[in-house]
């Protein structure tokens, strides 16, 4: 068994640097908080074993490529006509699209959803039940080739539809 792990990081086309030494062989996760929205980051991990007082590294794990996606926030949520609401959100300059999810339940079970192009910062959702409370949240996508990188959900907001 390994005595610990080294986590390495490469930003964009830069060089690899060790960002963390995990000294426990039971902790197998690490959260990198030093990231920038839309930035391409690669990670790889080496297991190590202490032999005669020296740490001997294994071959690295497969390289994992990731684009960090900052979450957006809802700036306005209103209902001006029967069976509709309008949601506005803060722009993520690196986004390629947004996903709006809405539900009568705060846990978003039985939720409806709609994708919106990144050039839009608001959406009117129609065909809703009048005089009902809906919960709304949004997440941001950055699409690179055939891969989508996704933010965490925005904080949910509640609206009673007219």
């Amino acid at each position: 068994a390994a005595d610990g792990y080294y986590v390495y990081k490469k930003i964009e086309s830069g060089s690899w640097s060790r960002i963390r030494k995990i000294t426990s062989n039971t902790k197998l996760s690490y959260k990198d908080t030093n990231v920038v929205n839309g930035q391409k980051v690669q990670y790889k991990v080496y297991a190590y074993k202490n032999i005669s007082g020296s740490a001997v590294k294994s071959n690295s794990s497969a390289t994992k490529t990731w684009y960090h996606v900052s979450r957006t926030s809802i700036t306005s949520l209103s209902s001006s006509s029967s069976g509709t609401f309008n949601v506005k959100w803060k722009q993520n300059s690196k986004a390629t699209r947004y996903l709006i999810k809405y539900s009568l339940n705060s846990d978003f079970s039985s939720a409806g959803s709609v994708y919106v192009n990144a050039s839009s910062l608001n959406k009117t959702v129609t065909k809703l039940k009048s005089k009902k409370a809906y919960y709304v949240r949004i997440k941001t996508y950055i699409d690179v080739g055939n891969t989508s990188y996704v933010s965490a959900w925005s904080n949910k907001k509640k609206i009673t539809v007219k």
Side-chain angles (χ1 to χ4, degrees), residues 76-91:
S76 171
L77 186 58
S78 61
S79 179
S80 59
S81 62
S82 180
T84 69
F85 69 73
N86 183 271
V87 59
K88 296 179 182 179
W89 57 91
K90 185 177 176 185
Q91 181 181 28

Side-chain angles (χ1 to χ4, degrees), residues 89-100:
W89 57 91
K90 185 177 176 185
Q91 181 181 28
N92 179 322
S93 63
K94 303 292 184 177
T96 52
R97 59 189 165 122
Y98 299 95
L99 173 62
I100 302 167

Side-chain angles (χ1 to χ4, degrees), residues 58-133:
S58 68
N59 292 331
S60 75
S61 64
T63 300
K64 174 71 176 168
T65 300
W66 189 257
Y67 284 78
H68 176 71
V69 185
S70 296
R71 71 181 181 169
T72 190
S73 58
I74 296 172
T75 58
S76 171
L77 186 58
S78 61
S79 179
S80 59
S81 62
S82 180
T84 69
F85 69 73
N86 183 271
V87 59
K88 296 179 182 179
W89 57 91
K90 185 177 176 185
Q91 181 181 28
N92 179 322
S93 63
K94 303 292 184 177
T96 52
R97 59 189 165 122
Y98 299 95
L99 173 62
I100 302 167
K101 198 159 225 174
Y102 53 93
S103 178
L104 293 167
N105 305 308
S106 63
D107 66 357
F108 289 88
S109 58
S110 303
S113 61
V114 61
Y115 284 97
V116 180
N117 186 307
S119 62
S120 297
L121 296 178
N122 70 78
K123 175 69 177 173
T124 299
V125 178
T126 61
K127 300 181 182 174
L128 302 171
K129 295 180 181 179
S130 292
K131 302 194 183 337
K132 295 287 186 178

